[in-house]
């Protein structure tokens, strides 16, 4: 796969095959996070990788995926994430750290997809429960759900300007993206 194929396929996935994620893929994701750009080279992000099936199951019992389509009640039994990466910040959380979180999440999810692993970047999750469950020193800032996709997620043109993602009867997702000429100006 070339980089643009990876970028187009690296969508948010909310339904997963119940297959383990290869250790090599997890290792590459974490190496990508380790070497990713970060503000002032502070390297303050910390990662907790959860692959233990019983802990993964406990996290799955506390999360929801697909906030824009709550009627789907995701994840469903038999389609839950197979691993999680919880990202915390050592020290003060500020705008630079927020930027670092985004860069790290993008690096991890892009490398994940290059291994055939889908992801869902989670901002809305029960932080206190996750912190206690995993005995974390710092507050969780972001959590990534991981697994081999059990559905398609496709970029589409917006209909009547609507940008809300949606699912069809097969629970495949569609993500409207504005055309390039609406978001970028080229000064030559």
């Amino acid at each position: 796969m070339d980089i643009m194929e990876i970028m187009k396929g690296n969508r948010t996935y909310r339904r997963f095959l119940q297959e383990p994620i290869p250790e090599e893929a997890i290792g590459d994701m974490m190496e990508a996070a380790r070497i990713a750009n970060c503000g002032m080279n502070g390297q303050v992000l910390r990662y907790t990788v959860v692959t233990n099936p019983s802990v993964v199951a406990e996290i799955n019992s506390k999360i929801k995926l697909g906030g824009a389509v709550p009627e789907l009640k995701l994840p469903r039994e038999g389609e839950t994430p197979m691993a999680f990466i919880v990202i915390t910040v050592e020290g003060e959380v500020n705008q630079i750290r927020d930027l670092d979180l985004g860069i790290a999440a993008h690096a991890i999810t892009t490398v994940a997809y290059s291994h055939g692993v889908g992801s869902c970047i989670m901002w809305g999750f029960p932080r206190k429960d996750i912190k206690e469950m995993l005995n974390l020193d710092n507050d969780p800032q972001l959590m990534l759900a991981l697994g081999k996709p059990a559905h398609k997620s496709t970029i589409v043109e917006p209909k009547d300007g609507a940008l809300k993602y949606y699912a069809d009867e097969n629970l495949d997702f569609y993500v409207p993206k504005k055309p390039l000429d609406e978001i970028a100006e080229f000064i030559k």
Side-chain angles (χ1 to χ4, degrees):
M1 251 188 292
D2 74 13
I3 189 65
M4 289 309 294
E5 286 178 86
I6 293 169
M7 295 301 293
K8 288 175 184 173
N10 184 22
R11 314 292 350 127
T12 298
Y13 293 91
R14 297 167 183 86
R15 299 173 43 231
F16 302 96
L17 301 175
Q18 300 304 284
E19 299 175 8
I21 299 171
E23 286 186 31
E24 176 188 0
I26 297 281
D28 285 351
M29 288 179 230
M30 296 318 304
E31 181 63 8
R34 185 185 76 81
I35 64 174
N37 298 345
C38 58
M40 301 174 66
N41 202 33
Q43 302 179 52
V44 297
L45 300 184
R46 298 296 177 261
Y47 307 89
T48 302
V49 181
V50 182
T51 58
N52 177 291
S54 63
V55 180
V56 167
E58 189 175 354
I59 294 173
N60 276 320
S61 74
K62 297 187 179 300
I63 64 164
K64 295 178 183 169
L65 302 176
V69 284
E71 65 275 10
L72 298 180
K73 295 180 173 65
L74 299 174
R76 293 179 177 176
E77 189 175 331
E79 296 181 331
T80 56
M82 296 300 291
F84 293 92
I85 298 174
V86 180
I87 308 175
T88 63
V89 174
E90 186 177 79
E92 179 186 347
V93 177
N94 56 40
Q95 290 176 325
I96 290 175
R97 302 308 165 230
D98 286 346
L99 180 61
D100 290 350
L101 287 165
I103 292 168
H106 188 260
I108 292 167
T109 61
T110 302
V111 169
Y113 192 75
S114 77
H115 282 277
V117 175
S119 60
C120 182
I121 300 171
M122 302 175 67
W123 183 259
F125 62 94
R127 287 172 167 75
K128 183 180 177 191
D129 291 346
I130 298 300
K131 181 177 181 175
E132 289 173 6
M133 182 188 315
L134 300 177
N135 196 28
L136 301 173
D137 292 331
N138 300 305
D139 293 334
Q141 300 297 309
L142 207 59
M143 187 163 70
L144 309 178
L146 301 165
K148 294 182 182 178
H151 68 93
K152 294 178 184 172
S153 187
T154 305
I155 295 172
V156 295
E157 294 292 320
K159 294 178 186 173
D160 300 322
L163 298 177
K164 182 179 172 182
Y165 63 84
Y166 56 93
D168 65 15
E169 63 279 353
N170 297 318
L171 292 182
D172 289 323
F173 282 77
Y174 298 89
V175 184
K177 293 291 184 180
K178 291 181 179 183
L180 185 60
D181 64 354
E182 286 187 25
I183 65 163
E185 179 179 349
F186 297 89
I187 301 171
K188 296 181 181 184

